[in-house]
Amino acid sequence: MKVCVLVLGLSLVLTVCVARSPYQAVLQHSRIRGRQQGPNVCAMQQLKGTNKKYFTNCKQWYHRKVCGKPTMITYECCPGYEKIPGEKGCPAALPLVNIYNTLGVVGASTTQMYSERAQLKEEIEGPGSFTFFAPSNEAWAALPTEILDALVSNVNIELLNALHYHMVSRRLTSEELRHGSSFASMYQDFHVHIHHYSNGIVTVNCARLIKPDQHATNGIVHVVDRVITAVSNNVHMLIDVDDDLETLRTAMAAAGLTTMLETDGQYTIFAPTNDAFEKIPQETLNRILGDPVALRDLLNYHILNHMQCAESIVSGTPMETLQGTVLEVGCDGDQMTLNGKAIVTKKDQLGTNGVIHYINELLIPDSAKVLLELAEDSSVATATKLFVEAGLSSHLTGSEALTMLTPLDDAFKGSFISPCGLSTDTQSLSSKSLYHGQELETLGGLKLRVFVYRNNLCIENACIAAHDKMGRYASMFTVDKVLTPPMGTVMDVLKADDRFSLLVGAVQTSGMTELLNQQGALTFFAPTNDAFNALPRAELNQLMRNRQELSAVLRYHLGEGLLVSGGVGSHTRVKPLQGEKLELGRNYTVYVNKVPVADADLMATNGVVHAVNSMIRPLRKSSSPFRSTGRDFHCTELFLQCFHEVTSSA
C-alpha cells in the first residue's frame, strides 16, 4: 500500500511539474475553478451582453473584468467532454468522429455547410491527418455581405481556396501552436501565422482560438472567431499601397526605416493615418519632419518589436517600443487603446512580418519634444505660463541643452509667485545623474544645491515629484514646490523675519551669531516669538541672563547637516549640536519630537530654517546634554525649567 501511495504521489508531482503551454495552464486553472460543478467542467468568463468567452486565469477570476468590462462566470464542458442527462458535470468523453462531423458539434456548423458546398466534405471525412482552423458560425455571419457573396457564388474555386487556407495537412494541438510559428496551409502553401501569448490566448492570423483541441479521428479542429485570409505582403508593402498612410510612408522613407519593415521579423505598427498627422500643429510637424533624430524617435515610438494581435489584449499592459520607452497597450470593451485612449480605427491588418493597427492620433514621445511641449503635456500649466510671461519662450522652444525645474500646479495655491522663483539649469540633466552636494547654476546665475535623501531627491526646498521628462534637447524635472533659492545665511533669514525677533536676541545673547553666519550645513528648528511668549516671563528672563544655559538650549534646536522637509520620512533622526537625537516624522506636516513645524524650508546659504511655535524638548528622561555649567538635568521638569529660563529674557 505504501508503495502505491508513493507512486501515485510521484505521478502527481511529475504531472504538476511538467512544463505546460500558457493555454494549457489557463485551461487547468479553469478546470480547477469549475470542479465543484462536477467532473470535466471548466469555468469561463463571459463578457456581459456579448457571446465572448474566455478560459479564466487567476487575475481575471478575481478582477471579474476583461478589457475593463464586467464579466459573469459560466460553466461548460471542458474540451473533449460532454454532459450525460441526470449526471453531474461532464463525465463522458466526446465520441471521436471525423472532422466533418466534428464541425457540427463544436459550434462550426456553418463551416460544415460550406465544406459540403465546396465539395470538401469527402476530403475531411476520409483518410489523412488535418488541422482545421474552423470559423465559428458567428465568424461567418460577421463577414461583409459582398465578401461572403463572392465566396459563395464561386464555391468550386474561391470558397474551396478559402477553406483550404484554414487547413494544415498535419495534426497540430495547442501545445504545438507555438508563439511565432507558421505552418504551410493547404492553399498553395500560403502560411498561417500562430501566436501563443503568455495569458493563454492563441491566435492564427490574429483570429482567436475560442475552442481549441477538438479532436477527430482524422485530425483536430480549432474553432476561431473570424474567417482568415491569405497573407502574402510584408508590412512595408501594406503601407506602400494604402493612400490613407501616404504621410506615414513618406516619413518612414525619410527616417530610413523602409528596409527594416521589409525584413523578416515580428513587428506591430500603430500606423498614424494622414488625418492623424494633420491634427498636429504645422509648426511642430515641420520641426519633427525636418529633424532626422526626432523623426526616427517619433516613428519608432509607434513600433513594437513583437507581434501583438488585438484579440490577445484583455487588460492594459506596458510594452516597450523600438524608441525605448513604453506604450500602455490595452482595451476598452471591443476597442483597442493606446495610453488609455481609444484611437485605434482599424485592427489586425496582417503582413508576413507583422501586424498593423491604424490610429487616428499621432503619438509624440518626449524625446521628440521641445521644453514647451514637455510642459504642455504635464500638470504644470501655471509654471509654464509664468515662464512664457517672463520672456523665456525662446529657451522653451529652442535647441539649448537645458533642464527646467517646473513646480506642479498645486504648488502655487494660496499665494502669488513671480517667475523669478523658477529655474532652468544650463545643461540637460537626468535626475539619476544628480548627487548630494552638487551645485546647479541657473540661467540667472544663481547656485542651487542638490540634496539626496533616503526617500527623496531635492533641489533646495523643492523635491522631485514625477519621473523626468527627457526632451529632444532639454529635460524637465517636475517638483512639488516653487523653488526658493537661498538669499543669505541662517542669521540673515532670522533677521529678515519678524516672527524670529526674540530668537535673534537670544542668539546674540548666547554668542552664537558667528555660528549661524559661517559656512556649513545646519538645520535650525527655530522657535518663533509665539514659542517664547508661551513661557513664564520670569523664567525666560532668568535663562537669558545665563549665556551658557541659553547656548545649550539653542544648540539642541540646531541639527547637523541640512534637512529640508521633503527629506523627512516616518522615522528620521537628526543629531543636534548638543544633546540627544531629535526624532522627526510626518503626518501631513513635519514633526520634531512631536512638535509640529509651522513653516518649513526657509532656505539659507549655510542651512535651512524650520519655524516651530513651541520649544522642543526630549521625548523621554535621559541625561541632559547641557553640562557646560556643571549642572545635570535628569528629569523633564528641570529640562523644561531650563527652557523657560532660556526664553524669558528675550
Side-chain angles (χ1 to χ4, degrees), residues 249-269:
R249 179 165 62 247
T250 302
M252 288 282 190
L257 295 177
T258 300
T259 302
M260 179 189 76
L261 299 183
E262 292 176 325
T263 59
D264 291 340
Q266 293 281 309
Y267 300 108
T268 299
I269 302 173

Side-chain angles (χ1 to χ4, degrees), residues 457-600:
L457 173 64
C458 305
I459 300 171
E460 293 298 335
N461 61 304
C463 300
I464 304 297
H467 291 299
D468 305 352
K469 284 184 171 289
M470 307 301 295
R472 172 65 179 92
Y473 307 103
S475 58
M476 186 182 86
F477 296 170
T478 302
V479 293
D480 60 354
K481 296 177 183 175
V482 176
L483 191 145
T484 55
M487 303 303 292
T489 66
V490 169
M491 196 62 187
D492 293 331
V493 170
L494 298 178
K495 287 181 176 180
D497 194 325
D498 291 340
R499 292 177 298 174
F500 301 117
S501 59
L502 298 180
L503 176 60
V504 169
V507 169
Q508 292 169 340
T509 299
S510 65
M512 294 173 57
T513 302
E514 184 178 350
L515 172 65
L516 300 187
N517 276 324
Q518 68 187 17
Q519 288 186 346
L522 296 171
T523 300
F524 199 174
F525 298 99
T528 63
N529 294 345
D530 288 343
F532 284 94
N533 291 330
L535 302 173
R537 193 72 181 177
E539 295 177 4
L540 180 61
N541 290 337
Q542 182 180 349
L543 187 58
M544 288 298 290
R545 290 191 294 269
N546 189 328
R547 178 174 174 175
Q548 289 180 318
E549 293 290 350
L550 182 57
S551 176
V553 172
L554 293 182
R555 285 172 181 268
Y556 187 65
H557 287 70
L558 272 167
E560 295 179 357
L562 198 158
L563 179 65
V564 298
S565 62
V568 177
S570 57
H571 294 286
T572 303
R573 294 177 178 179
V574 172
K575 180 174 176 55
L577 296 189
Q578 191 163 339
E580 292 188 351
K581 62 183 177 293
L582 297 169
E583 297 277 358
L584 279 75
R586 65 185 315 129
N587 182 14
Y588 299 106
T589 188
V590 173
Y591 289 81
V592 52
N593 284 15
K594 298 186 178 180
V595 173
V597 171
D599 192 4

Side-chain angles (χ1 to χ4, degrees), residues 58-77:
C58 190
K59 182 177 179 180
Q60 288 173 299
W61 177 266
Y62 288 108
H63 286 186
R64 292 289 201 274
K65 285 186 177 181
V66 171
C67 287
K69 302 301 181 183
T71 62
M72 57 184 181
I73 301 298
T74 62
Y75 297 94
E76 57 186 57
C77 293

